[in-house]
Amino acid sequence: MKKMLTGVALAAVLLAQSVQAEESKILEIAWFKLLPGASETQFLDGAQHVQDHFLPRFDGRIYRELMSEHEGGYWIDSIHWRSVGDFEKAAAEILTDPDGAAIMDLIDPSTMAWFHADRVRHWNVAEVPKGDGYTEIQVFRLVAPGSEIEFLFPTTVEEFLVSAEAIQADLASKQGFLDRELFKTTDGWWVDLIHWESKDAADAAMGTIMADLADMESAAMGFISKIDPKSLKSFSMNQERFW
């Protein structure tokens, strides 16, 4: 994964949404756990310090979200940038800058992954929540040619995008759906990021989608069948901060 650091009718629904595939946006995303002894309060203070004293030096930032996974202990810090050049300028400095140390010194590097991806699709019916939302993130690769499961789930990028559009019709019909973005790295990793009004809304939608998997012809099965299950990493995150 590039720049990873180790250590409804379909037409009606899509017409009602803002669907953007052509607008260039970059997602910077890092997931990690805190070092033993580092407190949530310390980390939130450090994240605010970075927001106030480090990030204002760089152009091209659209918004930043800080999210936590209460059960698994992971945190996700993500920034939407206007271009990869904007991201690279900030990324080149944060590891050695004293203002970046406000959070970097609290992170367990053995749990950290950090990379960027290009936006491929964007569907939204409402604004991204600003401090009290719930976000589901899935990171995965598609079933690759020559893999042992290809004969069950053959796929191409084009087929996958068709299936992503199809399941979007289902997602947009669920109560509490707000926004979804699909990103891809240059070396074949995908990030599917969905914003919900609340955990309850996300859980209810997931329950319905899981039930739909019993139908081999469903949009849910069409989408899931194109993802390599060995590569899949999922996060269910509470939004802690929005800047």
Side-chain angles (χ1 to χ4, degrees):
M1 191 180 293
K2 188 178 181 181
K3 294 187 181 296
M4 177 180 286
L5 299 181
T6 299
V8 256
L10 178 59
V13 172
L14 295 182
L15 283 173
Q17 301 170 10
S18 171
V19 182
Q20 306 163 24
E22 73 287 348
E23 188 180 7
S24 177
K25 294 289 184 294
I26 300 296
L27 176 71
E28 172 190 0
I29 185 169
W31 65 74
F32 48 84
K33 293 184 178 182
L34 303 184
L35 286 167
S39 71
E40 178 177 325
T41 299
Q42 284 179 296
F43 183 70
L44 291 174
D45 288 345
Q48 188 65 55
H49 181 91
V50 168
Q51 184 67 26
D52 294 340
H53 300 285
F54 177 77
L55 288 173
R57 306 177 205 164
F58 304 95
D59 296 327
R61 180 166 39 93
I62 302 171
Y63 70 84
R64 177 187 178 202
E65 286 183 276
L66 187 64
M67 298 167 274
S68 68
E69 182 185 51
H70 290 172
E71 294 183 0
Y74 273 97
W75 291 77
I76 287 182
D77 198 348
S78 70
I79 301 178
H80 283 62
W81 296 93
R82 298 194 186 281
S83 73
V84 67
D86 293 327
F87 154 72
E88 288 176 340
K89 290 174 184 176
E93 295 188 27
I94 193 168
L95 294 177
T96 57
D97 191 280
D99 288 319
I103 58 172
M104 300 307 298
D105 287 352
L106 301 174
I107 291 172
D108 180 350
S110 70
T111 67
M112 185 178 188
W114 179 25
F115 62 98
H116 77 277
D118 298 283
R119 191 165 74 184
V120 179
R121 293 288 188 275
H122 181 205
W123 305 269
N124 70 297
V125 298
E127 290 188 358
V128 174
K130 294 177 172 58
D132 59 354
Y134 191 77
T135 306
E136 291 185 326
I137 299 172
Q138 297 188 20
V139 183
F140 53 84
R141 300 182 74 92
L142 302 184
V143 176
S147 70
E148 67 271 23
I149 57 175
E150 184 189 5
F151 71 97
L152 291 174
F153 311 119
T155 193
T156 65
V157 169
E158 292 74 18
E159 290 171 338
F160 173 70
L161 291 176
V162 169
S163 73
E165 294 278 5
I167 198 172
Q168 177 58 29
D170 287 348
L171 290 169
S173 70
K174 307 303 184 206
Q175 184 174 0
F177 171 82
L178 298 176
D179 180 272
R180 179 184 177 209
E181 294 174 284
L182 192 62
F183 299 87
K184 183 178 181 292
T185 70
T186 56
D187 54 354
W189 286 92
W190 293 79
V191 181
D192 197 349
L193 187 155
I194 305 175
H195 287 107
W196 298 92
E197 286 182 352
S198 66
K199 182 179 186 301
D200 288 345
D203 289 347
M206 182 56 64
T208 302
I209 289 170
M210 293 302 293
D212 288 346
L213 292 176
D215 178 2
M216 295 298 292
E217 301 300 319
S218 67
M221 178 56 75
F223 181 75
I224 295 298
S225 68
K226 294 171 175 55
I227 294 173
D228 183 346
K230 294 182 179 179
S231 70
L232 180 63
K233 187 168 184 64
S234 298
F235 298 95
S236 297
M237 311 298 291
N238 298 283
Q239 191 184 62
E240 301 289 348
R241 296 289 188 275
F242 181 95
W243 298 279

